[in-house]
Amino acid sequence: MKYTTRLFAEFLAVTFVGGIGLAVDTTGISLILFPEIAALAYDVFTRPRGKWASQPIRLIATPTITAILGVMITRHWEYSALAVTVVALLSLFVIKLLRSNIGAAISAGVLPMALGVMSWGYPAAILAGLAVLAIALTFWKRLDPDSYLSEGGKESRIIETAETPPRDRFWIFALTAFVFALGAVAQTTGLRFLLFPPLIVVAYELFGHPDLPGWMSRPVLFPLVCFLTASVGLLLSAGFHTEFLGVTVTMLCSIAILRMFKVHMPPALAVGLIPFVIVHPTFWYPISVFLGAAALIAATGTYSFITSRYFR
């Protein structure tokens, strides 16, 4: 029963994201497709008692507010390492101010800078999409999936801890340095997606919990999984003429990749959808994603070693 309920939860996530794609096809408004909504939908449907699912109002409010800030800064500031860092820090301030666990809101704030989005329709689309997601989650909870989706295992405890506010003393300095440094490389090379928005979400979780045991037993998988989902998204965004089919199949393939590697990495699902909102995605997108993810693993490994050796 647990396995069947899990499959149905994943089906709901795919259906929801597919519905977003259908809305894009119907309205012609690409901004409706907020990539991080794939990660949010997957997490709240498969973990209805999780940190993200337990804050439905903040689930809507936090990404909407950070999206407004992202658009505001993008309208007055060209892409640069400093601009991206400022947006990320402001997004973190919003999360702190709202006492929110929705780390994915950082991605909502940074995405306008990465894509050059200046339309106020972007935060409006996020607000609408997340409102629908919160309503769907409410109905899902009424079916009592908690009875079958056991969340007391080691993996769930690790995920829960990663989604709580950071408790490490120096995490904000490490995160700021990482975002600025990788942003500088992205600015210099023109490969903006070296610092793809979901990467900052994962960096927020990893730098904030450097001693979290087992969060990623095989860190090398993170760049590989992101590369695969990015490649799938790139190929399918070019291969389908409708957003509905493209994002639905991409979501299915991305979930299959997570299952194949036995990892829980919702941001990797968002990585697969980003090509659908890039004007002209090229093969440099998955390559940039891989290099950025590899840089994060190297940086967090170094940070964990230094703090455990000299500050504990």
Side-chain angles (χ1 to χ4, degrees), residues 83-141:
V84 174
T85 304
V86 169
V87 175
L89 290 177
L90 286 175
S91 298
L92 288 171
F93 177 73
V94 170
I95 291 172
K96 178 70 173 178
L97 188 65
L98 297 182
R99 298 180 180 179
S100 173
N101 290 317
I102 315 300
I106 303 170
S107 181
V110 174
L111 190 65
M113 181 60 67
L115 295 176
V117 175
M118 300 183 188
S119 171
W120 293 114
Y122 171 70
I126 288 181
L127 173 63
L130 291 178
V132 174
L133 177 60
I135 293 171
L137 175 62
T138 299
F139 284 108
W140 173 231
K141 284 184 175 182

Side-chain angles (χ1 to χ4, degrees), residues 220-244:
V220 69
L221 290 184
F222 179 63
L224 178 59
V225 169
C226 286
F227 174 77
L228 291 175
T229 57
S231 298
V232 167
L234 176 64
L235 292 173
L236 295 181
S237 65
F240 287 97
H241 297 294
T242 68
E243 298 290 295
F244 169 68

